[in-house]
Amino acid sequence: MSMPNPFRAVGQGTLSLLRSAGAITLFALQAVWAMLRPPFFVGQLLSQIWKIGFLSLPVVGLTALFTGGALALNIYTGGTRFNAESFVPNIVALGIVRELGPVIAALMLAGRVSAGIAAEIGAMRATEQIDALHTLSTDPMRYLIAPRVLAGVIVLPLLVAVADVIGVLGGFLVSTTTLGFDGSIYVQNTVDMLQRWDVVSGLIKAAVFGFLLTVMGCFHGYFAAGGAQGVGRATTNAVVSAAVVIFAANFLLTSWFV
């Protein structure tokens, strides 16, 4: 019985990863090209903006509220060790607007939207509805993919703007009701701390994350194979890959924006 060769396994895994990265990159470029060319399916776009944006408001808002509160508690606990607890408003505002707001909103949408898109398009693939679109001379990239990706790019910055406000509000509520901060001084410190670029850089991140998470959902759904089990795999892969690329993109964008 021959022993498995670990180098062969690593090589095969690397090649598979590179093939997947190349396929996703090509799919993303096709999606961008489809967004730029008519016909534009405005009805599909508005429907996706409603599904991705408005219906995600509750989960994004609640997550931002609790994250802001927990962040204030942790900063206060750490700050007391260095007599720096007065910086809670400043660090909460900066942390939410530049980092946690975009990342948390994107991760929530990776779980909700990427999975939903992959399941929807995967089911259409399994029931041959995508093949029917080809038969009707309708380009699936323009009709199915482009509206979803464009909606993600438009909607996520709006959701992040809402999450920023609610997250800072969460820190404010915990600080003023539990930690003994004066409300007016807290608000003044928050306003003094934030600069325009802090907000803009967070919204740029959000637009990139919106593009990535919708592309991942569309890609895995579009190439789903194997019936119901294939749709299930596509849903799982969409969520996992969206989360990974969001973290990777966040690191790169933060490095550029610092």
Side-chain angles (χ1 to χ4, degrees):
M1 180 178 179
S2 61
M3 295 292 292
N5 187 338
F7 297 102
R8 181 178 181 180
V10 171
Q12 290 176 337
T14 302
L15 289 175
S16 176
L17 181 63
L18 292 175
R19 278 196 297 269
S20 298
I24 292 172
T25 301
L26 180 60
F27 185 84
L29 292 175
Q30 291 174 335
V32 172
W33 181 239
M35 285 191 293
L36 300 176
R37 290 185 304 156
F40 303 110
F41 297 93
V42 179
Q44 281 284 320
L45 175 62
L46 295 178
S47 173
Q48 294 305 316
I49 288 176
W50 172 266
K51 291 179 181 177
I52 297 174
F54 185 78
L55 298 183
S56 298
L57 268 175
V59 65
V60 171
L62 285 174
T63 305
L65 182 67
F66 292 128
T67 300
L71 185 60
L73 290 173
N74 279 300
I75 294 171
Y76 184 82
T77 302
T80 54
R81 301 173 187 175
F82 307 98
N83 295 321
E85 59 270 24
S86 61
F87 289 102
V88 169
N90 311 65
I91 300 176
V92 167
L94 199 62
I96 290 290
V97 171
R98 288 187 66 105
E99 187 71 22
L100 293 178
V103 172
I104 288 174
L107 290 178
M108 289 298 102
L109 263 67
R112 181 183 177 276
V113 173
S114 297
I117 290 174
E120 184 181 8
I121 297 179
M124 295 180 70
R125 171 66 72 187
T127 55
E128 300 182 350
Q129 294 181 56
I130 294 179
D131 297 330
L133 289 175
H134 284 293
T135 304
L136 297 172
S137 301
T138 301
D139 185 359
M141 292 299 293
R142 295 183 190 176
Y143 184 74
L144 294 177
I145 309 303
R148 286 166 172 77
V149 176
L150 184 56
V153 174
I154 293 172
V155 161
L156 200 58
L158 301 176
L159 285 174
V160 168
V162 175
D164 289 346
V165 174
I166 296 177
V168 172
L169 176 63
F172 172 83
L173 292 175
V174 169
S175 298
T176 54
T177 59
T178 306
L179 305 179
F181 279 80
D182 180 82
S184 59
I185 296 176
Y186 191 99
V187 172
Q188 189 61 50
N189 287 342
T190 299
V191 173
D192 292 341
M193 182 66 194
L194 290 178
Q195 299 178 357
R196 183 180 302 174
W197 178 242
D198 297 327
V199 179
V200 172
S201 63
L203 298 182
I204 293 173
K205 280 185 179 182
V208 175
F209 295 163
F211 176 80
L212 293 174
L213 68 91
T214 47
V215 164
M216 287 301 171
C218 292
F219 173 81
H220 289 287
Y222 194 78
F223 293 104
Q229 289 184 342
V231 175
R233 283 195 301 271
T235 304
T236 302
N237 292 336
V239 175
V240 173
S241 58
V244 170
V245 295
I246 285 169
F247 280 118
N250 182 58
F251 171 73
L252 293 175
L253 292 172
T254 302
S255 302
W256 291 338
F257 292 160
V258 168

